[in-house]
Structure formats: structure tokens, C-alpha cells
Amino acid sequence: MEMKTLRLAGVMRESIVDGPGIRMTVFGQGCPHHCKGCHNPETHDPKGGYLSHPENILKAIDQNPLLQGVTFSGGEPFFQAEEFAELGTEIKKRGLHITTYSGYTFEQIISGIEAGKTGWKELLSVTDLLVDGKFILEEKSLNLLFRGSKNQRLINVPKSLEEGKAVLWNPEEESGVLRYKKASLA
């Protein structure tokens, strides 16, 4: 089955600021939030960016044995939820951690799932760590782990889905959870 094409703003092959560990960051194109002071305003236009086949991203992931995870950022990943969910499913098969940034809160995503938004449930289910909430310029802080404004939360998605409410991610609990892919000596 061929995966759906993604509209991207770009890909950062290695990052240590977009989630725990060494990760690739995939920037989706298109965002309905238009947050004042957005770090990536060029990602807002849903017709901007470029089309990319997810297989290209997966090949790049497979070529880097140091990657511990992949981050979906934007733009708004839930704007292309089906496409990111498909990519996320393939990434999870590789045993990698997924962080998703969203301008929606966890509760808004759950409401969207209940309202039947296509792909939202699947995208949330492949996400390990959700950075939720719009960026609020007045609450900007450079001292926050993996987020830009104080209102944004780091949500442990598996625990949140299990408990039926947003459960904050605790980096101390999670240290050592990310596994290193072993480089092949062949």
C-alpha cells in the first residue's frame, strides 16, 4: 500500500531540541492557528512548502542509526493527520519515539476525535510525547524544555489515553526509555 504524500515545510535530519534524544524533525506545511510570534510563520500557508513521499523520510531515518525518535512539527501536524499517522505507524515499527507538536490542546484533540476528525485518533495513538497548546508570545520563555511558551504542556500520551485525562510527561521517569538503534557492522 502506497502511503499518502505529505506537504512539508522542511526536514531537519538531526535535532536535540525538538524532543528527547537525537531525532529527526519533520515540519508539516499548513497551520490554522497563526500564533502571534510563531517560530515558523512560513508553515502557515496550506499551499506552501513542497510535496514529499513519506518513503523518502523513512529512507533517511533508516540511514541514521543514531536517531532515537522523530518529531512532527509544523505548521500543524493534525492539519495532515492521516498522512502523519501513516508515517508515524511506519516509524513506530522501527522502534522509535514520536513527539508531536500541536497548537491544539490534548482536550481539543480528544474532542476532535469524538467529532470524527479523520486521522486524529491514529496520529495521537502513535504519539509518545505531545507538546500541546498554541504558542502565546506573552508567555514566551527560553527556559522551557521542548516548548516556547508557559501555557504549553508536555503530555505523556500513552498514560493520558490509559487514564482518560492529560498526564504530564516527567523527563526523570522517562530517562533511559529511548533505545539506541544499533549500527550494523555489515
Side-chain angles (χ1 to χ4, degrees):
M1 179 180 106
E2 189 168 320
M3 296 171 63
K4 292 183 171 115
T5 302
L6 282 159
R7 183 164 289 279
L8 300 180
V11 174
M12 184 178 299
R13 290 183 176 258
E14 289 185 1
S15 171
I16 58 168
V17 297
D18 297 316
I22 300 169
R23 47 203 318 108
M24 176 181 285
T25 303
V26 180
F27 295 92
Q29 183 70 36
C31 184
H33 306 298
H34 302 270
C35 300
K36 183 172 96 180
C38 176
H39 186 65
N40 298 323
E42 66 282 357
T43 66
H44 293 180
D45 181 0
K47 292 182 172 101
Y50 61 94
L51 295 175
S52 178
H53 293 283
E55 292 83 4
N56 296 334
I57 296 167
L58 294 170
K59 282 181 196 168
I61 290 169
D62 292 340
Q63 291 171 355
N64 188 341
L66 297 178
L67 289 180
Q68 296 169 279
V70 177
T71 295
F72 298 152
S73 190
E76 171 59 65
F78 282 88
F79 187 74
Q80 299 181 73
E82 277 185 281
E83 294 85 347
F84 273 106
E86 281 184 355
L87 178 58
T89 298
E90 293 303 313
I91 291 168
K92 294 308 278 186
K93 288 178 184 175
R94 289 158 168 79
L96 297 174
H97 181 276
I98 295 178
T99 295
T100 301
Y101 281 78
S102 178
Y104 298 109
T105 64
F106 177 80
E107 294 79 10
Q108 289 170 324
I109 293 168
I110 296 298
S111 293
I113 291 169
E114 291 168 352
K117 296 260 188 186
T118 307
W120 283 36
K121 180 179 182 181
E122 294 78 8
L123 178 51
L124 189 63
S125 72
V126 296
T127 299
D128 297 296
L129 173 62
L130 175 70
V131 182
D132 82 337
K134 292 180 181 181
F135 171 76
I136 297 176
L137 186 58
E138 295 75 21
E139 295 189 34
K140 179 180 177 177
S141 173
L142 299 177
N143 297 320
L144 300 169
L145 182 64
F146 305 139
R147 57 203 195 280
S149 61
K150 294 175 186 172
N151 63 297
Q152 295 172 314
R153 301 177 295 178
L154 301 174
I155 305 291
N156 180 322
V157 174
K159 283 186 181 178
S160 297
L161 293 175
E162 187 180 301
E163 294 187 24
K165 65 178 182 178
V167 176
L168 296 181
W169 180 73
N170 181 345
E172 282 78 34
E173 272 180 22
E174 303 293 328
S175 65
V177 170
L178 297 175
R179 71 173 193 63
Y180 287 90
K181 291 187 343 183
K182 297 198 175 176
S184 170
L185 298 177

